[in-house]
Amino acid sequence: GHHNYFAGGVLVHNCHHVGAEDWTTVIADYANARKLGLTATPQRRDGKPLGDVFQSLVVAAQYSELIRAGHLVPCRLLRPPKPLGSDLAVDPLAAYLKHTPGRSAIVFSRSIEDAEKLAVSFTAAGHPAACISANTPGAMRAHAIDAFRSGDLRCLTCVFTLTEGFDHPATEVVILARGCAHVGTYLQMVGRGLRPAPGKTQAIILDLAGISWIHGTPTED
């Protein structure tokens, strides 16, 4: 059966990372084992091939199927009429106040400085926020994430720290306040808002730089 087929195999989550140097010795240590990799974004920004480790690519489900089955929510996308490169159509706080005030949001910024300033601005506007960056001590990071999950914080701002692996399904809004050259990074960012949660009917993506014109809409098959 399927269980026996995979006995003694290696299961790799977020398997697009297997091309990274840290993974080389791990894969080499299990050279003769069957390998099953799982990822929402089967491509790497550095262009390294995943086919050196995996022989076949199996598309398990399309976005439309996942939405119909209730594993993802539909997405409402707001964006400028064309891609703006490194520019933003409007200030992230202004966009939030106009379209999604009070909703649970994650903001992806261009720099740590921008993310820190935005957290202060959101809080001053009556929507408590915190910045999580590579400079945030572990205890402070955990406290901010707990406060976001409990609703005490309405917004988290960041650069790359919440792009992948962060799971808070109740997040309703993703604000893209930066450009993005790689489709994998884009899909991981918008994916933070696509998880279903009780009472949640849709995700709202505020694409302030128009990067979806380059990479496609978030739930496009």
Side-chain angles (χ1 to χ4, degrees):
H2 293 294
H3 176 74
N4 291 334
Y5 172 81
F6 199 63
V10 177
L11 181 67
V12 185
H13 179 53
N14 282 335
C15 68
H16 50 278
H17 290 305
V18 297
E21 189 173 332
D22 290 349
W23 271 97
T24 305
T25 54
V26 176
I27 295 300
D29 286 345
Y30 295 93
N32 296 321
R34 290 187 170 91
K35 300 173 185 67
L36 176 63
L38 305 173
T39 177
T41 51
Q43 66 275 93
R44 290 179 55 81
R45 182 165 39 186
D46 61 12
K48 289 183 179 178
L50 301 179
D52 288 357
V53 176
F54 305 105
Q55 281 70 57
S56 301
L57 174 64
V58 178
V59 179
Q62 299 283 0
Y63 278 105
S64 56
E65 296 175 276
L66 294 171
I67 291 171
R68 281 197 302 270
H71 299 306
L72 297 176
V73 296
C75 173
R76 181 185 176 205
L77 175 67
L78 300 175
R79 59 185 177 180
K82 64 180 181 179
L84 302 179
S86 59
D87 294 330
L88 302 180
V90 294
D91 175 77
L93 175 59
Y96 177 80
L97 293 176
K98 180 178 180 180
H99 299 289
T100 58
R103 295 182 182 271
S104 178
I106 296 176
V107 182
F108 292 99
S109 299
R110 294 173 291 195
S111 68
I112 292 175
E113 182 182 7
D114 280 357
E116 289 174 342
K117 288 179 178 178
L118 276 175
V120 173
S121 298
F122 270 74
T123 302
H127 301 280
C131 173
I132 294 180
S133 75
N135 298 335
T136 308
M140 291 180 62
R141 181 182 296 209
H143 177 74
I145 289 175
D146 286 345
F148 182 62
R149 286 182 168 140
S150 71
D152 291 338
L153 290 179
R154 302 312 299 152
C155 178
L156 290 178
T157 68
C158 69
V159 183
F160 287 113
T161 48
L162 302 177
T163 304
E164 182 180 298
F166 176 71
D167 185 35
H168 179 51
T171 302
E172 296 178 86
V173 181
V174 175
I175 302 177
L176 303 175
R178 48 163 288 185
C180 180
H182 191 257
V183 65
T185 302
Y186 164 70
L187 291 173
Q188 290 287 354
M189 288 191 294
V190 297
R192 299 316 102 199
L194 296 178
R195 313 287 175 86
K200 180 179 175 182
T201 58
Q202 67 175 354
I204 301 174
I205 310 297
L206 304 181
D207 175 14
L208 304 184
I211 58 181
S212 57
W213 289 111
I214 300 168
H215 299 308
T217 56
T219 55
E220 184 178 314
D221 281 345

